[in-house]
Amino acid sequence: MAGRPRPQTELHSPSASTRRRERWLVVLGVALHAVYMLSIFDIYFKSPIVHGMDPVPPRLSAAPAKRLVLLVADGLRADKFFEPDERGRYRAPFLRGVIEEKGRWGVSHARPPTESRPGHVSLIAGFYEDPSAVTKGWKANPVEFDSVFNQSRHTISFGSPDIVPIFCSNLAHSTWGTYPHEYEDFATDASFLDHWSFDQFQGLINRSFDDVKLRQLLLQDKLVIFLHLLGCDTNGHAHRPYSSIYLNNVKVVDQIAESMYNLMENYFNDNQTAYVFTADHGMSDKGSHGDGHPSNTDTPLVAWGAGIRSPKFLAYTEKPDDGFRFVDDHKHDTPTPKDWALEGFERVDVNQADIAPLMATLVGLPCPMNSVGSLPTPYLKLSKADEVEAVLANTKQILNQFLRKSQLKESSSLYFKPFKPLANFSLVLSQIEDLISGRDYETAMEQSEELRRLALAGLHYFQTYDWFMLMTTITLGYIGWMVNLIIHVLQSYTSFPAILLKRAQLYPKNTSMKVYIGGCFFMGLSSIILLLEKSPLLYHAYVFMTIFLWTRIVQNFEFLKAVWREIANMPFKYILNLLTSSVVALLVLEFLVMSFFDRKIYTWCFLVLGILGSTYVALFIQASPALAIYIWLACWFLSVFTLMPAEIPENNNLVIFSGGLIILIGLASRWIKSNTSSFWLYLTRANKRDPQSFKLYFVQVILVAISSIMVWLSTSHRSQNRELHSLHQLINWSVAGVAMVLPLFSPPSVLSRLTSIFLGFAPPFLLLSIGYEAVFYSAFAMVLIGWIFVESANLYCSEESGSARRRSIADDSVFGYEERHLRLSDLRIPLLFVILFNVAFFGTGNFASIASFEISSVYRFITVFSPFLMAGLLIFKLFIPFMLVICTFSAITKVVRIPRLGCYFLVILLSDVMTIHFFFLVRNTGSWMEIGNSISHFGIVSAQVVFVLLLFALTNIYTRDILVSSRQLTARKVM
C-alpha cells in the first residue's frame, strides 16, 4: 500500500482536514449502501399492485355455492398433515375421508417470504405481496388491495389479532373478532387458540336463533366465513413440528374442520356450502419459517362441498403430468410419497395465489382485481360453458392489470417499448367470444389459457421494465465508490503523497470549472429525464450518487496518473508482490462468495490455515513451538463447526459444557499474563504495575457458572410445559446485563481486556444458546486470540531484526505511539477480518436464511409472543461473535500501530468486491429458494458497511483505552 519498502518506520498522523474528509466519506458510504440496498426493492420487490381496473364477474349460469368456508391452519406442513403417525394411523381422519370420498386434494406451493401476512395475502387476495410490506406493520395495509372478502356480500372471521384485522378492520360488510395477544404464549399448548376461533363462530350461529337480523345475514348468498387457526404455528415455533404437541395440533385442526362441516350442514341443510382447507406456510424442522425450503412452502389443500368435483380415481401406474409449472418453476412430476397412501386419488397441486380465484369462482364473485392466480379448473364441478366463462373472467382480470400497467408506463415514458406478444389482444378476445358462441369450448379454453399466460408474462415484463437502467447505474456507482476508497487510502494512509512530493510530481486536483460544470450538467440532464418519466425519488438518488462519485474520480485524475507512473517505475519484485497480493485477495473473496452457498468451504479454509499458520510461526517468526501448536489446534477445532447441520439440534449439555470450557480459556489467559518473555509483553503489560484484577476475574467466572446453571434450570422447567418462572427470568436478565458491563473495569492491557470481553459476553450468549453454537463461541475466541498472538510475535521479530530498534521491551523501552503508514503487507489484516467476520455469519448456521433464526433461543428471557423483543434478542445473539472479531481487530491495529479507520476502508473495499459479485448473482428465475437466498446474500454483504461501522462505534467503548506495552496508544476518536 506504500512506495518502495523502507527499513525505518514512517509515522502517520492524520491531519484535521483528513479527519473531516473521512467523516464525510463515512457518511457518504453509509448513505450510498443504504440507498443502493433499497434498489433490490425497486428491481426485485417492486409492488405489483396497480389501481384503476374494474372487476370482471364470471358469466356463470348460477354460482356453484351460496357460501364459502375457508379454514387456514397457520404453519401446517403438508407432510405432517398427510403422513401417518408411528402407529400407522392418520392424524387427520376426517379430511382424509373427504379426500377419498367427497372432494379434491393437492399441495399448495407458497412463495417466500413464507410468513403469515404474505401467505394470507396470497390466499385471500391472490397476489404475492411485496415482501417489504412485512416491515411496514402487520395490522395495517401499507397498500390498499382487493380481496375475496372485499368482493363478498358479507365476511365473518375469527382468529389471530395479527391476521384478521388486515382484511376486516376497514371492511364495512364484515363481522370479526380476535383474541388478545397475551394468548400467544409459547410456553403453553396453543391448540386452544384454534378452539377459540371455532367457539366464537359457533356462538354466533347459536345467537342467530334469537337474532332475526343475524339469521338473515347468514342466509344471504356470497357469504364468506374465515377461521384462522394459529395453534400449529405457535406450537411449531415453541416445540418443533415433530413434537407430540404439534402433531396433536394437526388432529385438533382436523376435528375443527369436522365440527365446522357438521355445524354448517346442520344449520343450513341446503348443500350449498363450499369448503377450502389449507395453510399459509409450513414449518422447518427447527421451528421456524420464512425461506423457500419445501418444508416451508409445501402446504396441504383440501376442497369439498358445493361446486367441488368428487375424487378422481387413478390406476397406480398413472402419473399426472399436465405440464403445469409452479412458482418455483418446476413441473409436477414428483410421485406422491408412498406413506401418504394417496396414489390412487388424483393430486392437483396449485400455486398458493390460485386459491383466491378458486374461492371467488365458487361463490360467483369476481376474482380480486390484483390477483395473479390461475383458476385451477380440476377442482371445479361446472358445465363446459361455465368452466370456459370462469377461465375467461380470470383471464380478463389479469389482462386488465397488464393493460393498466402498460398505460401507466406509456404515459410516463419518453421512449416506450410495448409488450409485442399482446399487441393484438382485442382480436384474440373477439375470437374467444366467437368460439364460445359457437360452443367450441375446448378451443376457447385453450385460447383463454394462452392469453392468460401471455398476460402474466406481460405483467412480468412491466414489472422488470427498468431493470437494465437500474442495474447499470448501481454497478457504476459501486465501482465509483470503490475507486474513491482506493484514492482516499492512497492519499491519507500511505507514503505515496510524500514520495510524489519528493520527486516533485505535483498532483493537484483537477478543480477546473469543466469538472464541476460537467457533473452538474449530467445531474441536471438526468434529473429532467427522470422527472419527465415520473420516476420515483429513489431513481434520482441512484443516478445522482453515481454521477457524484465519478465526478470525484475525475477531480483526482492527476493523482491517479502520478500513482500509476510511480508504480510503473518500481522494481519488478514490488510489482510482482502487488499483483500476487491482489490475486490472492480476489481468490479469497471468491472463496468467501462460494461459502455463502456451501458452508463446508470454511472447514477446508481453517484446515489449511491451521497448517499454514503453524508453519509460518515455526519457520519464519521462530516463536515458541507452543504457539505453533496452539494455532494449529485452534484452527482445526473451529473447522469442525461448519460441518455441523445448519438446523441446530437442541442439546443443553453442550451449552453447559461450553460454560466450563469458557472458564478454562479464562484460566489459560491468566496464566499467559504471568509470562514475562518476548512478544507476550505486547499483550500482557501496560505498565510496571499491572492492576490487580483477580476480583473482577472471579466475578466474571461466577457469572459464567451461574448462566450455565440457569440454562439447565430454565430448560428443565420449560420441558415440563410450565411457564418461565419469574425468578429465573429476573436472574437471566440480571446476569446478562451485569456481565456485559464488567469488561469496562478490566485492566487496559490487550490480553486482559480481550479476555474480560470474552468472559463478559459469554453469559448472554450461553443463555441464548440451545446447542453446539455455545461451543462455537469458545472455538471462535481461541482463533481470535491466536490471530493476535501471531501478529504480536510477527511484530516482535520484525522489530528485533531492525538495527534501529533493538531495545528490550522487558526493560520498558517502547516504541512511539504514533500510527505508521499502511504497507502492502498490511492487507492481510483486513482480509483476515473479512474471513473471520463471515465465519461469524455462517459458523453456526445460515444467516442468509430467514428460517435460520431459532426462536426457542429466547425462551430463557421471554415466552409470551413479542416479535420485536424476540427479534432484538436473536439479532443481539448473532452480533456477539461479530463484536469479538471487531474488538480483536481494534486491538491488533493498536499493537501493529496502523490506522484503524484506514483498515476499515480496506474492509469495506473488500466487502464491496463481493457485493458487486452478489449483485450479479441475484436471480429472478429458478426456485424461489434460490431467488430468495441470492437476494439475501446481496443484502447481507451490502449492509456490512453500515453495521460494521455501528459495531466499531459500539465496541470502541470496550477498546478505546487499551494500552500496548507501557505507553498508551493515543485513542483516536476517528469514528
Side-chain angles (χ1 to χ4, degrees):
M1 308 300 296
R4 292 186 177 91
R6 300 174 181 275
Q8 71 275 15
T9 300
E10 298 180 48
L11 301 182
H12 166 73
S13 181
S15 63
S17 62
T18 299
R19 291 186 178 182
R20 186 167 56 251
R21 189 165 66 248
E22 284 172 344
R23 282 194 292 268
W24 281 109
L25 193 62
V26 168
V27 171
L28 174 64
V30 172
L32 179 139
H33 285 79
V35 169
Y36 281 3
M37 264 196 355
L38 293 176
S39 69
I40 65 173
F41 295 105
D42 280 323
I43 296 174
Y44 301 102
F45 291 144
K46 193 174 183 180
S47 177
I49 298 174
V50 288
H51 299 285
M53 299 85 65
D54 294 322
V56 184
R59 298 176 300 193
L60 305 177
S61 57
K66 288 184 64 176
R67 66 198 68 86
L68 169 77
V69 174
L70 172 62
L71 303 174
V72 178
D74 201 310
L76 177 59
R77 278 170 55 157
D79 57 344
K80 300 302 179 187
F81 175 79
F82 290 116
E83 71 187 14
D85 59 21
E86 63 279 358
R87 292 180 293 178
R89 300 176 182 175
Y90 292 97
R91 301 186 182 99
F94 169 74
L95 289 170
R96 188 171 184 84
V98 167
I99 292 170
E100 296 174 351
E101 300 170 8
K102 298 178 182 178
R104 307 305 297 269
W105 76 285
V107 174
S108 170
H109 297 260
R111 165 180 167 172
T114 45
E115 300 289 348
S116 292
R117 179 192 168 101
H120 281 86
V121 169
S122 177
L123 286 169
I124 299 168
F127 70 93
Y128 302 107
E129 189 181 20
D130 172 2
S132 65
V134 177
T135 66
K136 300 175 185 176
W138 286 97
K139 296 183 180 180
N141 293 335
V143 179
E144 290 301 322
F145 54 80
D146 192 24
S147 71
V148 175
F149 295 176
N150 289 8
Q151 300 288 346
S152 70
R153 198 177 304 278
H154 197 87
T155 293
I156 299 171
S157 179
F158 296 101
S160 166
D162 293 323
I163 296 300
V164 172
I166 294 174
F167 303 95
C168 297
S169 60
N170 295 320
L171 193 62
H173 55 277
S174 66
T175 302
W176 58 281
T178 63
Y179 41 77
H181 272 291
E182 292 72 24
Y183 281 23
E184 299 176 24
D185 190 341
F186 289 97
T188 61
D189 182 353
S191 60
F192 77 95
L193 298 176
D194 301 343
H195 288 293
W196 184 95
S197 298
F198 173 74
D199 292 343
Q200 296 301 305
F201 179 72
Q202 188 177 39
L204 184 141
I205 291 289
N206 293 336
R207 290 197 304 274
S208 71
F209 292 110
D210 301 321
D211 188 332
V212 177
K213 289 186 178 180
L214 179 58
R215 183 166 178 81
Q216 289 176 345
L217 183 150
L218 290 170
L219 291 176
Q220 63 186 342
D221 64 350
K222 296 179 172 53
L223 177 69
V224 176
I225 299 161
F226 167 48
L227 294 190
H228 177 245
L229 311 175
L230 187 64
C232 286
D233 184 74
T234 304
N235 284 328
H237 285 314
H239 307 287
R240 310 293 193 279
Y242 46 80
S243 65
S244 59
I245 292 179
Y246 179 92
L247 298 177
N248 182 69
N249 209 142
V250 179
K251 299 177 183 178
V252 170
V253 296
D254 179 71
Q255 293 164 5
I256 290 175
E258 182 177 16
S259 300
M260 193 69 182
Y261 172 72
N262 292 331
L263 179 66
M264 295 293 292
E265 295 302 310
N266 292 334
Y267 184 82
F268 293 101
N269 196 27
D270 59 0
N271 295 321
Q272 286 295 302
T273 307
Y275 303 86
V276 174
F277 175 90
T278 187
D280 56 345
H281 56 74
M283 184 74 61
S284 71
D285 285 342
K286 63 178 182 178
S288 58
H289 52 81
D291 66 14
H293 191 275
S295 64
N296 290 324
T297 59
D298 291 357
T299 60
L301 173 61
V302 182
W304 74 101
I308 301 294
R309 291 185 183 182
S310 300
K312 180 180 179 181
F313 302 99
L314 301 174
Y316 278 82
T317 57
E318 289 186 59
K319 193 176 183 181
D321 182 6
D322 56 4
F324 182 76
R325 290 185 177 272
F326 302 108
V327 289
D328 52 357
D329 202 31
H330 72 271
K331 288 178 68 174
H332 169 45
D333 56 5
T334 304
T336 301
K338 288 187 177 180
D339 60 350
W340 292 8
L342 291 172
E343 296 96 330
F345 303 91
E346 185 182 39
R347 166 180 163 182
V348 182
D349 285 16
V350 300
N351 290 330
Q352 192 174 63
D354 298 343
I355 296 175
L358 171 64
M359 295 190 298
T361 304
L362 282 170
V363 283
L365 297 173
C367 292
M369 286 183 285
N370 303 114
S371 170
V372 294
S374 298
L375 181 65
T377 53
Y379 280 87
L380 293 168
K381 184 170 63 177
L382 297 172
S383 65
K384 285 290 184 182
D386 281 352
E387 187 173 324
V388 172
E389 289 288 359
V391 172
L392 181 59
N394 179 213
T395 299
K396 287 180 178 179
Q397 168 264 321
I398 295 173
L399 185 63
N400 283 349
Q401 291 182 76
F402 161 79
L403 294 174
R404 181 59 178 161
K405 285 196 172 187
S406 177
Q407 178 188 3
L408 291 173
K409 181 55 67 176
E410 185 175 10
S411 66
S412 63
S413 296
L414 296 178
Y415 174 69
F416 176 69
K417 295 178 290 183
F419 184 65
K420 294 181 180 179
L422 282 178
N424 61 341
F425 73 92
S426 57
L427 178 61
V428 176
L429 281 176
S430 298
Q431 291 175 350
I432 294 172
E433 294 288 357
D434 292 340
L435 289 168
I436 293 175
S437 299
R439 299 193 176 188
D440 188 355
Y441 299 127
E442 186 174 344
T443 307
M445 178 70 77
E446 291 175 358
Q447 292 199 14
S448 295
E449 290 176 342
E450 176 62 16
L451 183 59
R452 182 176 62 191
R453 185 190 67 79
L454 289 175
L456 288 170
L459 286 176
H460 178 74
Y461 172 79
F462 286 112
Q463 192 75 9
T464 61
Y465 191 85
D466 297 326
W467 274 21
F468 179 76
M469 183 274 290
L470 288 174
M471 296 184 80
T472 302
T473 301
I474 290 163
T475 301
L476 289 174
Y478 274 118
I479 294 173
W481 162 252
M482 292 164 62
V483 174
N484 273 277
L485 280 181
I486 293 171
I487 290 172
H488 178 72
V489 170
L490 290 175
Q491 288 180 342
S492 303
Y493 295 109
T494 70
S495 58
F496 268 115
I499 293 172
L500 297 177
L501 191 62
K502 288 179 182 178
R503 294 179 178 277
Q505 294 187 23
L506 301 178
Y507 54 93
K509 283 187 178 180
N510 188 357
T511 56
S512 67
M513 290 300 294
K514 292 181 181 179
V515 177
Y516 294 112
I517 291 173
C520 292
F521 172 77
F522 281 113
M523 283 187 182
L525 181 62
S526 61
S527 179
I528 291 171
I529 294 173
L530 292 172
L531 285 171
L532 289 174
E533 294 200 340
K534 301 176 184 177
S535 298
L537 286 177
L538 276 176
Y539 284 28
H540 294 258
Y542 305 147
V543 174
F544 283 10
M545 281 191 170
T546 300
I547 294 174
F548 173 75
L549 289 167
W550 282 95
T551 302
R552 286 176 55 90
I553 293 171
V554 174
Q555 284 181 315
N556 290 280
F557 185 66
E558 293 299 325
F559 173 74
L560 290 174
K561 284 203 303 185
V563 170
W564 179 260
R565 284 195 298 268
E566 180 63 24
I567 292 176
N569 293 327
M570 285 182 176
F572 176 76
K573 181 180 179 182
Y574 182 83
I575 296 175
L576 184 62
N577 287 339
L578 177 62
L579 292 174
T580 303
S581 299
S582 301
V583 170
V584 168
L586 286 174
L587 287 175
V588 169
L589 294 176
E590 286 303 306
F591 275 111
L592 291 179
V593 169
M594 293 168 59
S595 72
F596 277 66
F597 304 96
D598 185 5
R599 295 168 57 235
K600 294 183 178 65
I601 287 177
Y602 288 112
T603 297
W604 293 104
C605 174
F606 280 94
L607 288 174
V608 173
L609 273 179
I611 296 172
L612 294 179
S614 57
T615 303
Y616 177 77
V617 168
L619 298 180
F620 297 98
I621 299 181
Q622 296 180 353
S624 168
L627 177 59
I629 296 172
Y630 172 82
I631 297 299
W632 174 57
L633 291 176
C635 289
W636 281 35
F637 184 25
L638 186 61
S639 70
V640 173
F641 291 91
T642 44
L643 295 175
M644 300 284 190
E647 308 278 339
I648 301 175
E650 192 162 349
N651 189 333
N652 288 292
N653 292 329
L654 277 179
V655 181
I656 296 169
F657 164 77
S658 181
L661 183 59
I662 289 167
I663 294 173
L664 286 176
I665 294 173
L667 284 171
S669 174
R670 286 196 61 83
W671 173 79
I672 291 173
K673 287 176 62 178
S674 64
N675 196 316
T676 58
S677 62
S678 66
F679 70 91
W680 299 109
L681 291 181
Y682 281 113
L683 309 177
T684 59
R685 290 186 61 184
N687 48 44
K688 291 183 178 180
R689 295 182 179 179
D690 195 31
Q692 293 295 322
S693 60
F694 178 76
K695 291 181 180 179
L696 177 66
Y697 169 78
F698 180 75
V699 171
Q700 290 190 291
V701 167
I702 291 297
L703 291 178
V704 172
I706 291 174
S707 64
S708 299
I709 295 171
M710 292 308 301
V711 165
W712 176 76
L713 279 176
S714 301
T715 306
S716 61
H717 194 76
R718 188 172 64 86
S719 65
Q720 301 171 12
N721 297 328
R722 295 159 66 186
E723 295 183 4
L724 179 64
H725 199 287
S726 299
L727 179 61
H728 294 174
Q729 192 174 14
L730 177 63
I731 293 173
N732 292 341
W733 280 102
S734 301
V735 168
V738 171
M740 290 185 293
V741 175
L742 292 181
L744 298 173
F745 303 98
S746 62
S749 61
V750 175
L751 193 57
S752 295
R753 179 58 57 88
L754 290 180
T755 303
S756 186
I757 292 170
F758 166 67
L759 292 173
F761 282 103
F765 195 84
L766 290 175
L767 290 168
L768 288 168
S769 296
I770 63 166
Y772 71 80
E773 80 271 32
V775 185
F776 168 82
Y777 180 82
S778 300
F780 193 54
M782 290 173 65
V783 170
L784 293 175
I785 293 171
W787 182 23
I788 200 167
F789 283 171
V790 172
E791 291 292 347
S792 300
N794 183 56
L795 176 65
Y796 174 78
C797 293
S798 63
E799 296 289 0
E800 282 294 302
S801 62
S803 59
R805 297 188 178 272
R806 290 188 175 275
R807 293 172 295 179
S808 170
I809 298 177
D811 293 333
D812 291 332
S813 295
V814 297
F815 309 126
Y817 55 80
E818 288 285 350
E819 295 167 342
R820 62 170 174 80
H821 284 124
L822 288 173
R823 301 168 183 156
L824 183 60
S825 60
D826 294 326
L827 184 62
R828 73 186 184 280
I829 294 175
L831 193 59
L832 280 171
F833 173 86
V834 172
I835 293 173
L836 292 168
F837 201 80
N838 281 279
V839 170
F841 271 112
F842 296 105
T844 59
N846 182 5
F847 191 91
S849 169
I850 300 173
S852 287
F853 294 92
E854 180 55 67
I855 196 168
S856 63
S857 300
V858 305
Y859 290 164
R860 299 184 188 108
F861 291 94
I862 183 173
T863 57
V864 177
F865 182 67
S866 176
F868 293 106
L869 179 57
M870 288 178 165
L873 288 170
L874 287 171
I875 292 171
F876 173 70
K877 173 193 173 184
L878 293 168
F879 274 12
I880 287 176
F882 304 150
M883 296 178 73
L884 292 184
V885 179
I886 293 177
C887 286
T888 306
F889 176 77
S890 299
I892 286 174
T893 58
K894 290 193 174 188
V895 170
V896 184
R897 293 179 297 125
I898 56 177
R900 185 174 67 157
L901 197 55
C903 286
Y904 166 75
F905 287 132
L906 290 178
V907 167
I908 299 308
L909 177 65
L910 296 172
S911 295
D912 282 338
V913 173
M914 297 170 61
T915 302
I916 291 181
H917 193 142
F918 280 121
F919 187 70
F920 285 100
L921 287 178
V922 171
R923 302 180 57 178
N924 67 329
T925 58
S927 75
W928 277 106
M929 185 174 185
E930 293 167 334
I931 294 170
N933 282 346
S934 68
I935 295 170
S936 298
H937 296 160
F938 167 70
I940 286 171
V941 180
S942 183
Q944 283 189 7
V945 66
V946 180
F947 62 75
V948 167
L949 183 66
L950 294 175
L951 290 176
F952 263 123
L954 183 61
T955 56
N956 194 51
I957 299 171
Y958 295 99
T959 60
R960 62 187 173 190
D961 58 344
I962 286 180
L963 306 181
V964 177
S965 192
S966 63
R967 286 178 60 180
Q968 184 176 4
L969 294 179
T970 303
R972 303 186 183 282
K973 298 180 180 179
V974 293
M975 303 299 295

